Amino acid sequence: MTSEDYLHIAFLLAKRANSKDIRPNPFVGAIIVAENGVIIGEGFHKMSGKAHAEVNAINDALIKSTDLSNCTLYVTLEPCSHTGKTPPCTHLIIKHKIPKVVIGSMDPNPLVAGGKILADAGVLVETCILPEVVALNDTFNINQIHNRPKYIIKSATTINGKIADRLGNSKWISNKKSRDYVHRILRTNADAILTTAHTVIKDNAKMNIRLEEADARELDLIIIDKQLDILKLINKDLAIFYKRIKSKIYLVTDKTYENELPEHVEIMNVNMNDGNCDLIQLSALLLEKNICEVLVEAGGKLNASLINEKIVDELNVFMSPSLLMDNYALNVFNSNELQAIENSVQLTLLETQTFDSDILLRYKLVY
């Protein structure tokens, strides 16, 4: 077997973790391979604050052999060298005299990356970068490099880019299979939904996760609400105020609120520049709350603002086979800024899927 083969096994182990259990940590899988090519230890990172993949793999290998001095460690992410909630993995590797480590992706934070420490200790360190391994930790890498959550815009549009009629009615542009995918994949993977007070009041949606085979699951909700309209008495029966046990509604505003807040509602004070939310400041605050991936389900103005700030990472457009031929119907992106064709935002197509007559176009944004 090749290094790629062994790393792919470690990659499959890494994928067994639940992203929300390991936040803000990355997916990591590791295997220990004996000199004869037999895998004697396997492990993956299961829970934030618990043992890392390398530790689990080494402990598994020690059940079969107390001598790892002729083994190779294959790990999907560069071993860490810092003491956080757990000790550094580099120390354990060196302690057990593992002579060779093969790494499938590099840690984006040089302050905790341990490849050099291992090499300095005499360990042969090889890199074998696999695209699927790097892609698995896209959210983690964005968190580390940009100090913000990963932002994914989700929108259902007509062929000509309309998300609602001029009165704001949008039910339903996409079909049921598309909407099921949003719950099963996009909302399930996200830590929170970002939207605006206008959208929440207009749509009166629960903004939770609903799967046919399970009870509805809670999801944090971030609402840009400069005037705190959500807290007005007329809105007390909004669907978002379902009984929450382990999730919150964050109201983003520059206002103060003197009255008692409803349970599970928290004010998040952010600067409003000419009425526009400081999205960079908001991003830093969200990451501090361990909100690492945000699904944006909003109107054209917020969608455009996020892209103008260059903080959108993915765009998921569910395109229905319909036309809404009204100049006053609502656009998926709504901006009055002059933009020449040579300055258009560039996209890289990552994936296409069909849901009956709907087409999902998943793009990565190129800035």
Side-chain angles (χ1 to χ4, degrees):
M1 290 177 64
T2 65
S3 292
E4 288 88 348
D5 294 330
Y6 285 122
L7 282 171
H8 187 71
I9 294 171
F11 165 73
L12 294 177
L13 285 169
K15 288 178 67 176
R16 290 169 60 181
N18 183 314
S19 62
K20 294 181 182 180
D21 289 338
I22 63 175
R23 300 275 203 240
N25 296 339
F27 290 94
V28 188
I31 60 173
I32 305 291
V33 178
E35 193 174 19
N36 61 1
V38 174
I39 298 171
I40 62 170
E42 296 183 349
F44 66 96
H45 182 49
K46 300 177 182 179
M47 186 76 64
S48 177
K50 302 298 183 181
H52 287 187
E54 301 95 317
V55 176
N56 289 329
I58 288 171
N59 288 339
D60 187 38
L62 290 173
I63 296 172
K64 304 173 184 70
S65 173
T66 57
D67 181 10
L68 305 182
S69 62
N70 289 315
C71 295
T72 299
L73 167 66
Y74 293 87
V75 60
T76 58
L77 182 70
E78 185 177 9
C80 68
S81 63
H82 75 299
T83 301
K85 293 180 180 178
T86 59
C89 294
T90 49
H91 288 191
L92 192 65
I93 295 167
I94 294 167
K95 174 185 174 181
H96 288 285
K97 300 179 181 178
I98 297 174
K100 182 178 177 181
V101 175
V102 181
I103 299 168
S105 64
M106 307 306 292
D107 195 309
N109 186 347
L111 298 178
V112 303
K116 185 177 185 304
I117 288 175
L118 291 174
D120 289 345
V123 177
L124 176 60
V125 178
E126 293 184 2
T127 57
C128 181
I129 308 301
L130 300 182
E132 65 269 29
V133 172
V134 176
L136 181 62
N137 280 321
D138 191 44
T139 296
F140 172 76
N141 292 332
I142 289 167
N143 298 162
Q144 292 291 310
I145 295 169
H146 300 295
N147 190 37
R148 62 166 176 80
K150 177 180 179 178
Y151 285 98
I152 300 172
I153 287 179
K154 184 278 297 184
S155 193
T157 78
T158 63
I159 289 293
N160 57 331
K162 303 296 182 179
I163 58 173
D165 63 26
R166 66 169 66 192
L167 300 178
N169 300 311
S170 60
K171 293 184 179 180
W172 294 102
I173 290 177
S174 59
N175 64 32
K176 185 179 184 301
K177 286 187 177 179
S178 293
R179 298 194 297 274
D180 287 346
Y181 179 89
V182 171
H183 287 269
R184 181 168 47 86
I185 302 297
L186 298 181
R187 287 190 180 181
T188 295
N189 290 341
D191 297 314
I193 294 174
L194 172 63
T195 188
T196 64
H198 176 80
T199 297
V200 169
I201 294 168
K202 179 65 182 176
D203 293 349
N204 194 26
K206 285 188 175 181
M207 299 286 195
N208 59 0
I209 300 169
R210 298 183 299 281
L211 303 173
E212 289 184 358
E213 67 274 15
D215 294 333
R217 283 186 265 160
E218 298 178 40
L219 191 57
D220 283 344
L221 182 59
I222 308 151
I223 306 172
I224 298 176
D225 187 6
K226 183 181 178 183
Q227 303 301 329
L228 294 177
D229 291 329
I230 296 297
L231 296 178
K232 291 179 179 177
L233 186 61
I234 194 175
N235 293 322
K236 67 180 179 63
D237 294 323
L238 284 171
I240 59 166
F241 291 119
Y242 61 82
K243 183 174 177 57
R244 293 174 182 264
I245 298 173
K246 52 186 178 181
S247 64
K248 284 192 173 184
I249 298 171
Y250 297 99
L251 300 181
V252 181
T253 182
D254 60 353
K255 303 287 189 293
T256 57
Y257 189 73
E258 303 298 335
N259 300 327
E260 184 179 358
L261 285 168
E263 193 175 8
H264 304 301
V265 174
E266 182 177 322
I267 300 293
M268 188 177 287
N269 284 121
V270 172
N271 293 329
M272 297 286 171
N273 305 317
D274 297 325
N276 297 315
C277 176
D278 186 332
L279 297 170
I280 303 300
Q281 182 188 12
L282 173 61
S283 296
L285 292 174
L286 294 177
L287 198 59
E288 287 177 6
K289 293 183 178 295
N290 204 32
I291 295 175
C292 301
E293 182 170 312
V294 174
L295 181 64
V296 182
E297 297 192 32
K301 184 177 179 182
L302 180 56
N303 289 344
S305 296
L306 288 161
I307 288 181
N308 286 336
E309 288 287 354
K310 298 183 178 180
I311 58 175
V312 176
D313 303 288
E314 276 189 25
L315 177 61
N316 284 250
V317 178
F318 295 84
M319 190 170 290
S320 77
S322 61
L323 293 169
L324 193 51
M325 295 185 292
D326 179 351
N327 287 338
Y328 293 97
L330 306 184
N331 295 313
V332 61
F333 300 105
N334 183 11
S335 175
N336 292 322
E337 292 187 17
L338 179 65
Q339 186 177 33
I341 189 66
E342 61 268 21
N343 296 325
S344 59
V345 178
Q346 297 302 299
L347 310 172
T348 298
L349 183 63
L350 298 176
E351 179 186 10
T352 63
Q353 289 193 57
T354 56
F355 300 99
D356 288 339
S357 56
D358 285 359
I359 300 174
L360 167 61
L361 301 172
R362 187 166 76 92
Y363 293 102
K364 178 179 181 180
L365 278 84
V366 180
Y367 296 112

